[in-house]
Amino acid sequence: MMSATVRAATDNGGSNAQDQRIRLEHMSGQPSRLVQLQFLRRYLLGELERVERWIATEEQREAAARPTPPPVPDWVLSYPRAGATSRPDAVHVGDCGMAGKRTKPITRDQALRALAEGVEACQFCRPDSELGWLD
């Protein structure tokens, strides 16, 4: 079906540039399904861009609000379970997974002093080797 605009342009020879413009409208003046879908696509792409900007803003906001974990200490003392002695049972490198939950961060000098006082070095992370401690 040819639109009224196209028919008018072909009837008068197409001399006017405005008449030569082809419009994809039905005789009723409603845009064709293709034009509607193309418009919908443009609209949804714009909405998607807006949502992506919102997401990026929220991600930045959450990242800024998220507390940063404290730095991993270089050395820690581990203590036995609650109820046992309050004496440390081992010296560990700060990120040793065998240190357990009851730990205390210490300096290099404190780690050397603990080894000198008889606190054992962890057999897994070997802080005595890293500290240069020889028995």
Side-chain angles (χ1 to χ4, degrees):
M1 182 185 302
M2 197 183 275
S3 75
T5 304
V6 173
R7 206 176 294 145
T10 55
D11 289 345
N12 68 11
S15 60
N16 189 343
Q18 188 174 8
D19 289 340
Q20 291 178 359
R21 187 180 63 204
I22 298 175
R23 298 183 68 197
L24 298 175
E25 293 181 359
H26 294 291
M27 293 298 285
S28 66
Q30 294 294 318
S32 71
R33 181 158 172 79
L34 176 61
V35 170
Q36 290 174 349
L37 291 172
Q38 289 170 337
F39 170 80
L40 180 61
R41 179 180 57 198
R42 284 190 311 271
Y43 171 77
L44 291 175
L45 287 172
E47 289 299 304
L48 179 60
E49 287 177 10
R50 185 166 48 161
V51 170
E52 287 173 347
R53 284 191 308 269
W54 288 345
I55 289 171
T57 301
E58 281 303 310
E59 287 173 343
Q60 291 172 352
R61 193 174 294 150
E62 284 185 14
R66 195 174 306 128
T68 56
V72 176
D74 292 333
W75 315 102
V76 294
L77 286 176
S78 64
Y79 291 86
R81 293 182 181 191
T85 66
S86 61
R87 178 168 159 69
D89 62 353
V91 177
H92 298 268
V93 174
D95 62 353
C96 178
M98 300 304 289
K101 294 182 180 180
R102 297 192 64 211
T103 61
K104 176 185 172 189
I106 57 174
T107 65
R108 176 182 175 83
D109 291 338
Q110 291 171 324
L112 287 167
R113 191 174 325 119
L115 290 171
E117 292 173 357
V119 178
E120 291 188 30
C122 173
Q123 297 176 7
F124 298 98
C125 66
R126 303 303 305 176
D128 50 349
S129 296
E130 287 201 36
L131 287 165
W133 177 261
L134 300 174
D135 281 330

